[in-house]
Amino acid sequence: MSESTYLAYDYPLLSVFWSMLWFFLWIMWFVLLFRIVVDIFRDDAMSGWAKAGWLVFTIVLPFLGVFVYIIARGKNMGRREVAQARAQQQAFDSYIRETAKGVGGTSSVDELAKLSEIRAKGDITDEEFARAKSLVLSGHGSGTASTGVGAGSRH
C-alpha cells in the first residue's frame, strides 16, 4: 500500500488559511494579555503588591498567568470595564453641559435682562441697546463688555 496521505497543510490554500488562523490567534492572545494588564492597573480594590504580583505572573509565565487571572478575577473584569466606561460617559456629559452653558454660565436671556437693566438705569441709549440686543440674539456677543456697550455714555 503505497497510497500517499495528504494533510491539510499540504494544500496551498489550506496552508494560507492555517497561517492566517495562527496569526489571528497570536493577535488575539496579545489583545487578551493587554486587556488583563489594563485590568490589573484599573482595579482599585487591589493593593500595589497584588498588582505587582499579578503583573509579574502574567509577564514571566504569560500563558499560565493569563489563564489563572481569567479564572480567578475574570468575572469582575467586565464590571470594572463597564464602571470605567460609565465614569467616562458621565465626565463627557458634564463637560458638554458646562460647555453648553457658555462662558461664565450666562445665556442670551440673562444677557438681555442685564442689557434691559442697564438701559433702564440710563447708562446706555436706545440705539446702543438695539445694537447690543441684535449682537446677543445673533450669538456674536457674550456679554455687555464684548459688545462695547456702556463704555462711553455713563450719566
Side-chain angles (χ1 to χ4, degrees):
M1 304 241 168
S2 64
E3 282 185 34
S4 56
T5 309
Y6 291 105
L7 300 175
Y9 197 79
D10 291 335
Y11 297 105
L13 184 61
L14 293 176
S15 173
V16 169
F17 173 75
W18 189 250
S19 298
M20 287 175 57
L21 178 68
W22 278 109
F23 182 72
F24 175 74
L25 290 175
W26 184 69
I27 295 297
M28 289 304 298
W29 171 255
F30 278 108
V31 167
L32 181 62
L33 182 65
F34 288 130
R35 284 193 66 184
I36 286 176
V37 169
V38 166
D39 187 64
I40 289 170
F41 286 109
R42 180 183 294 151
D43 190 7
D44 292 331
M46 265 199 294
S47 69
W49 287 106
K51 288 180 183 184
W54 276 112
L55 193 61
V56 167
F57 189 39
T58 57
I59 290 175
V60 172
L61 299 170
F63 289 109
L64 184 63
V66 166
F67 291 138
V68 170
Y69 188 85
I70 288 175
I71 291 169
R73 302 183 49 81
K75 185 176 182 180
N76 292 326
M77 280 178 67
R79 291 181 186 146
R80 284 187 289 274
E81 190 169 342
V82 167
Q84 192 251 354
R86 283 186 184 147
Q88 280 184 339
Q89 185 65 39
Q90 288 174 352
F92 180 73
D93 291 344
S94 67
Y95 170 75
I96 293 296
R97 271 188 240 104
E98 291 299 319
T99 304
K101 285 183 182 179
V103 179
T106 59
S107 66
S108 58
V109 174
D110 295 333
E111 291 182 23
L112 288 174
K114 288 178 187 176
L115 282 172
S116 296
E117 290 175 16
I118 293 172
R119 184 181 66 171
K121 290 180 186 175
D123 291 340
I124 60 173
T125 64
D126 290 335
E127 179 185 313
E128 290 173 329
F129 175 77
R131 188 174 27 151
K133 179 180 173 184
S134 66
L135 282 173
V136 168
L137 292 176
S138 68
H140 291 93
S142 62
T144 56
S146 65
T147 60
V149 174
S153 60
R154 288 191 79 75
H155 293 287

